[in-house]
Amino acid sequence: MADLMDAIYEEDDEENDGLHEEDYLSMVPDPIIVKGAGHVTVFGLSNRFDTEFPSGLAAKVAPEEYKSTISRVNSILRKTLPVNVKWLFCGCICCCCTLGCSLWPVICLSKRTKHSIEKVLDWENSHLYHKLGLHWVLCKQRCDSSNMMEYVLKIEFIPKVSILKPD
């Protein structure tokens, strides 16, 4: 009698566990990288990002929405980077006399610029892109041509878990 109950119990487990790992489908495309397109870079942050619409976003987001997001980021860079360049120039001139302390203002301003861009991207993500299954983030990446690091905009696809029902 005990063997019969064990067998029924084991069969019930198999029947209730109708979903297997193969039934889950989660194919996420590679993230899209938007590199800096400007001619001035301060501490890895370019003075603007390219507004050309990437083909990988064609069915996900409207080109107008993409361009408005890039324009918001570029407007932050347009306002803050000239000030950062001036402080960097002054800091480099006085670097020997101040033992490097004259570079602190430009480091702080650069962090503030990155924080402002991250805030804009967070707002865009919460109001638009998360609903479309996308996530924008500002991150560091190694340059193709050298060992230097640069900041890029990474557009990640949020995985959707869908269950395939057996035929």
Side-chain angles (χ1 to χ4, degrees):
M1 181 75 175
D3 293 333
L4 181 62
M5 293 300 279
D6 288 339
I8 292 173
Y9 181 72
E10 289 176 9
E11 286 180 16
D12 285 344
D13 278 349
E14 290 176 8
E15 289 174 10
N16 289 339
D17 190 34
L19 299 176
H20 302 286
E21 286 185 29
E22 307 89 49
D23 295 335
Y24 292 100
L25 179 64
S26 177
M27 294 176 27
V28 178
D30 291 333
I32 296 172
I33 303 295
V34 181
K35 294 187 177 188
H39 57 280
V40 176
T41 302
V42 177
F43 291 119
L45 196 57
S46 182
N47 65 332
R48 71 179 185 87
F49 287 99
D50 193 10
T51 58
E52 184 178 332
F53 187 71
S55 60
L57 293 177
K60 297 285 186 183
V61 66
E64 296 82 21
E65 293 293 339
Y66 172 83
K67 287 183 182 180
S68 70
T69 301
I70 294 290
S71 296
R72 285 185 185 100
V73 171
N74 284 342
S75 71
I76 292 172
L77 292 171
R78 196 176 317 113
K79 291 176 189 173
T80 58
L81 237 48
V83 175
N84 292 5
V85 170
K86 290 175 187 174
W87 275 103
L88 180 62
F89 183 69
C90 292
C92 288
I93 290 174
C94 302
C95 186
C96 294
C97 300
T98 62
L99 301 174
C101 292
S102 58
L103 294 175
W104 276 107
V106 72
I107 292 171
C108 294
L109 287 172
S110 181
K111 284 183 181 181
R112 182 185 291 175
T113 302
K114 288 183 280 187
H115 183 69
S116 297
I117 292 171
E118 289 168 349
K119 281 176 60 176
V120 165
L121 293 178
D122 285 343
W123 187 89
E124 292 281 338
N125 283 331
S126 65
H127 285 82
L128 174 66
Y129 290 106
H130 283 173
K131 296 172 188 170
L132 300 174
L134 299 171
H135 180 77
W136 288 58
V137 65
L138 180 70
C139 63
K140 279 186 179 180
Q141 179 178 333
R142 191 167 303 279
C143 293
D144 296 334
S145 60
S146 67
N147 285 337
M148 303 289 285
M149 299 292 281
E150 68 177 339
Y151 283 94
V152 296
L153 295 175
K154 186 190 303 187
I155 306 169
E156 299 170 331
F157 294 89
I158 299 173
K160 293 181 182 178
V161 177
S162 60
I163 300 173
L164 295 176
K165 297 190 179 191
D167 294 330

